[in-house]
Amino acid sequence: MKDYIIFDLEWNQSPEGKGNSIEGLPFEIIEIGAVKMDEDFRITSQFHGLIAPQVYTKLHYVISEVTHIDMEKLKEEGELFPEVIRDFISWCGEDYRFCTWGSMDLTELQRNMEFYGMEIPYARPLYYYDIQKLYSIVRKDGKEKLSLDHAVEEMGIQQDRPFHQALDDAFYTAMVLRNMAPDMWSPYLSVDYYRVPGTKEEQIALIFPTYSKFVSRTFETKEEVLEDKTVTDLVCHNCRRMLRKKVRWFSLNQKQYFCLGICPDHGYVRGKIRMKKAENGKFYAVKTVKATDEAGAQSIFRKKEEQRKKRHERSDLKRVKRILTPPASCIRRQSP
C-alpha cells in the first residue's frame, strides 16, 4: 500500500534581499507541515515541526506579513533543522509518494538538507505529484497555475483554517487532491530537477496520455545540449514514430526552443525544449512533445517568422554600425 505524503514548507530569506543571501541557501526552512493519506485518500496522520533559524535570524518583512510567524516563537519552540527533518523522514515511513503544491518545496527541502550536510535519502529520479499542475490539467487548460486558496475556493472546500501556515496548507492541498478523480491525474507524475541526470543512462523519458517528456543529462554548454541527437529528435508521443521536422528547432530567447513535425497518423506534433541550469552550473534540457492542431502549428510558424525578423534586424544593425564606424586607420589622433 502506497501512502501520499502531502507536505508544505514555510521559509525565510535574507532581510536585505537576494543579493545578500548565503551561497547555497537562498531560503532557510522555518516550518514544515504534512499530512499522510492512504490509498483511499483518508488522512491517517499529520506532522508539524518548527525550525529555529540558524542563518537568517531576522524575518524578511514579506515572510512576516504572509505567514504571521513570530521569530521569538521560532527561537523558543523551534528545533534544529536536522532534528526536525530526521523526525519527518521517519514519520513518512517506507512506501509513499510526495505531493506538493508547485515544484519548489522538494527543491528547497533537498537544498537545505545538503546545506546542513545531511544525506538525501530519496531515489533518483525522484517522482512526485505536483497538485498545482494536476489541478490545472484536470480543471483548467494545463497551463494556468492557480494559487492554493483560489483552487480551494473554486472547489467549494470548507475554509475553516488559515492559509500560509505549513500544516494548514498541507491539509488544503490534500483536500484538493481528494476532490479530483484519480484516473484523471494519476498518470501525470512530475520529476524533481534538484538532482538531474549526470549520465546518458540516467536520462529520463516519460510518456503521459497527452504528451511525452524527456530530461537530458548535463552538459558543459548550451551548444553541447543542442548537439545531442537524443535531445533534438522529434518522436510522436502516441505511436513513437521518428518524425521529420517541418520546422527545425529555433529559439527566440535561448531558453525555450520550438520545432514542428507531422505524424502520418496523428497530425501536427509540436516539440518544446526548455534549457535549464543545474545546481552544479551545467546545462540540461527538458523536452516535451505533444500533438497540436492547425492553430498550434500556425503559432509555431509565427514564432519562427518572428525569429527570422529579429535575426535580420540584428544583421541590419551590425551592417549599419560597420558603415558608420570608420576604419581605425582613418582615425587620426589630433594634436593638443
Side-chain angles (χ1 to χ4, degrees):
M1 177 185 297
K2 185 183 292 291
D3 290 322
Y4 298 95
I5 303 295
I6 302 95
F7 79 93
D8 182 79
L9 303 174
E10 301 296 340
W11 53 66
N12 190 26
Q13 63 190 86
S14 170
E16 288 78 31
K18 184 178 179 180
N20 291 291
S21 297
I22 300 298
E23 184 177 357
L25 194 74
F27 304 107
E28 181 180 19
I29 297 172
I30 54 177
E31 184 182 23
I32 179 170
V35 296
K36 183 183 295 184
M37 299 176 75
D38 62 21
E39 60 183 1
D40 295 318
F41 303 100
R42 296 173 300 201
I43 294 179
T44 60
S45 182
Q46 67 179 34
F47 178 93
H48 181 250
L50 290 176
I51 296 166
Q54 304 298 303
V55 178
Y56 306 121
T57 55
K58 180 181 178 181
L59 280 179
H60 189 283
Y61 74 96
V62 173
I63 304 299
S64 180
E65 290 177 0
V66 171
T67 66
H68 303 293
I69 293 177
D70 180 75
M71 180 57 77
E72 292 305 314
K73 181 178 180 179
L74 287 174
K75 292 178 179 179
E76 293 175 4
E77 301 180 17
E79 300 179 69
L80 295 177
F81 176 83
E83 296 173 0
V84 175
I85 297 307
R86 289 191 190 100
D87 289 343
F88 174 65
I89 292 171
S90 177
W91 171 83
C92 286
E94 297 295 331
D95 190 14
Y96 60 88
R97 180 78 70 198
F98 277 134
C99 305
T100 62
W101 189 266
S103 60
M104 285 190 66
D105 288 283
L106 266 178
T107 294
E108 297 310 323
L109 176 63
Q110 294 172 94
R111 182 177 282 131
N112 275 247
M113 292 173 71
E114 195 165 78
F115 181 84
Y116 282 99
M118 300 181 67
E119 179 183 355
I120 298 177
Y122 309 124
R124 298 179 65 176
L126 175 55
Y127 297 113
Y128 70 104
Y129 282 118
D130 179 345
I131 312 304
Q132 185 185 49
K133 182 179 79 173
L134 298 182
Y135 183 83
S136 182
I137 290 173
V138 173
R139 302 280 297 247
K140 301 292 181 180
D141 60 359
K143 298 178 182 179
E144 184 179 358
K145 291 186 177 181
L146 261 68
S147 62
L148 177 60
D149 54 340
H150 284 158
V152 167
E153 184 175 353
E154 283 191 356
M155 299 190 90
I157 296 171
Q158 184 175 348
Q159 300 180 41
D160 52 3
R161 294 167 174 248
F163 285 94
H164 305 301
Q165 295 185 15
L167 182 57
D168 298 310
D169 281 1
F171 174 82
Y172 282 127
T173 303
M175 292 302 99
V176 172
L177 182 65
R178 175 191 282 178
N179 280 275
M180 295 189 294
D183 60 331
M184 297 283 288
W185 56 260
S186 58
Y188 293 96
L189 276 172
S190 291
V191 59
D192 172 66
Y193 297 145
Y194 184 73
R195 296 181 296 168
V196 295
T199 66
K200 190 172 184 178
E201 292 71 28
E202 294 176 344
Q203 293 181 141
I204 303 166
L206 299 171
I207 301 176
F208 303 109
T210 55
Y211 68 97
S212 65
K213 175 179 286 190
F214 172 78
V215 184
S216 78
R217 67 188 186 277
T218 54
F219 297 82
E220 293 293 335
T221 66
K222 294 180 182 180
E223 290 73 21
E224 288 179 341
V225 177
L226 297 173
E227 288 170 0
D228 188 89
K229 190 174 183 297
T230 313
V231 173
T232 56
D233 278 345
L234 185 65
V235 179
C236 176
H237 88 279
N238 280 307
C239 63
R240 310 308 298 160
R241 184 196 299 263
M242 183 73 70
L243 304 179
R244 295 183 65 181
K245 303 177 187 69
K246 188 174 182 65
V247 177
R248 296 181 179 275
W249 290 104
F250 68 94
S251 176
L252 298 176
N253 56 16
Q254 307 304 308
K255 293 181 179 180
Q256 293 184 343
Y257 297 77
F258 302 92
C259 78
L260 184 71
I262 301 179
C263 175
D265 296 324
H266 301 101
Y268 285 118
V269 176
R270 187 200 75 168
K272 179 180 179 180
I273 289 173
R274 287 175 292 157
M275 194 69 68
K276 291 180 172 288
K277 199 168 187 179
E279 293 292 315
N280 60 8
K282 295 184 178 182
F283 297 92
Y284 67 100
V286 177
K287 176 176 65 177
T288 55
V289 176
K290 65 188 303 183
T292 190
D293 55 14
E294 182 68 31
Q298 290 303 317
S299 175
I300 297 295
F301 287 126
R302 286 194 297 272
K303 284 184 172 69
K304 178 66 174 178
E305 179 63 16
E306 183 182 348
Q307 183 226 31
R308 186 189 67 81
K309 289 180 178 179
K310 286 186 176 181
R311 187 172 63 247
H312 283 181
E313 288 172 359
R314 289 194 297 267
S315 178
D316 291 343
L317 181 61
K318 288 180 180 179
R319 185 165 57 252
V320 170
K321 285 183 176 179
R322 286 197 299 268
I323 294 173
L324 296 179
T325 303
S329 59
C330 295
I331 302 176
R332 297 180 178 180
R333 186 175 180 180
Q334 295 182 354
S335 300

